[in-house]
Amino acid sequence: MGKLSREAVVDQALEIGSAEGLQAVTIRRLAQELGVTPMALYWHFKNKEQLIIGMADHLVEGFVITEDYDRPWQEQLRELVAGLIKVLRRYPCAAAVLEEVDHITVPSFLRVWDTGLGLAKQAGFSYEESCLISRYLLQGAIALAAGPTDRRPGLSDQDAAEHVRVKRVGLQSLPPDVYPHIVEMAAPLCERGTAEFYDTFGVDLLVTGIETLAARLHRD
């Protein structure tokens, strides 16, 4: 076997995390899957904390939206959020990985964050408002990327369908006089629709709110 690359290690770690959950990602397990000794992995990552940071950086690596002052900031903001969701959606464990790290330690994520700050500034928001907007947008994108289902790692299609059915029946069994709307909408609450609708609606919800605030700002 040739020299083990850093990319091969994080790829395998993300595959394990997506299939079995982040708790299954250990140096020992990775070494076993890659056919090397644990010491071979320490060349790239000294501990699991460094490995998780490497996984987070790999998730966003290559995704670049550069500010363009000749294009509407609204258009660029939508591309930023939608693009980040698409990139993170490649691995079901992405949200869990990003929850585990300080985003300041992840160079690829910092570049996305910096672009979000710049676009909010272009829209006319103050520094403080731009910081809040960028945080809401990035956290919203991470949450959307974890959807549209809450499927648990390792479940077969049949088991996943049964999980949804049991959840739906449970909601429909609630007292309708106490929870009338939950009982009425139990099916869409559990099934959540297609990924395309979920993403499009979510991006619209996030960005339209910022566009409305910006319009109000300029009106005042």
Side-chain angles (χ1 to χ4, degrees):
M1 182 177 179
K3 185 177 179 181
L4 188 64
S5 70
R6 182 185 179 92
E7 184 177 357
V9 175
V10 293
D11 268 337
Q12 187 63 50
L14 287 166
E15 291 292 342
I16 295 172
S18 294
E20 302 175 35
L22 208 53
Q23 73 283 351
V25 179
T26 64
I27 297 294
R28 183 177 296 276
R29 172 67 185 280
L30 271 174
Q32 180 182 352
E33 293 288 338
L34 292 166
V36 297
T37 65
M39 287 303 297
L41 301 184
Y42 290 125
W43 176 262
H44 298 294
F45 304 103
K46 301 301 181 187
N47 50 47
K48 186 171 180 178
E49 181 181 355
Q50 287 188 9
L51 173 62
I52 298 295
I53 292 172
M55 291 165 68
D57 194 50
H58 187 68
L59 284 170
V60 193
E61 192 173 25
F63 173 64
V64 179
I65 297 288
T66 305
E67 283 181 78
D68 184 349
Y69 291 92
D70 294 325
R71 293 174 56 210
W73 63 265
Q74 298 94 327
E75 185 179 296
Q76 296 179 70
L77 203 60
R78 285 180 180 274
E79 287 181 7
L80 181 73
V81 178
L84 182 58
I85 292 169
K86 184 177 180 180
V87 166
L88 296 179
R89 184 65 62 70
R90 293 177 302 172
Y91 295 100
C93 69
V97 170
L98 290 172
E99 285 174 3
E100 287 285 319
V101 299
D102 182 344
H103 296 159
I104 293 175
T105 65
V106 185
S108 295
F109 196 86
L110 278 179
R111 287 194 292 271
V112 177
W113 193 357
D114 189 71
T115 302
L117 285 167
L119 292 173
K121 184 182 171 185
Q122 274 193 53
F125 292 102
S126 68
Y127 286 180
E128 183 179 10
E129 290 166 337
S130 295
C131 290
L132 288 174
I133 285 168
S134 66
R135 288 193 183 103
Y136 295 150
L137 276 179
L138 297 179
Q139 290 297 335
I142 292 169
L144 285 167
T149 67
D150 57 356
R151 180 168 178 166
R152 298 172 182 174
L155 285 183
S156 66
D157 290 342
Q158 183 176 353
D159 288 341
E162 177 63 13
H163 172 70
V164 170
R165 187 193 69 80
V166 170
K167 189 173 181 179
R168 184 184 68 247
V169 170
L171 292 180
Q172 289 171 334
S173 302
L174 292 170
D177 56 327
V178 180
Y179 309 105
H181 305 302
I182 290 178
V183 172
E184 181 183 10
M185 300 183 221
L189 274 173
C190 296
E191 295 165 4
R192 304 199 190 182
T194 65
E196 182 180 2
F197 176 72
Y198 183 89
D199 291 350
T200 302
F201 193 86
V203 172
D204 281 344
L205 195 62
L206 287 170
V207 179
T208 301
I210 295 167
E211 291 172 341
T212 302
L213 284 174
R216 186 185 305 165
L217 185 70
H218 294 305
R219 200 166 54 238
D220 296 340

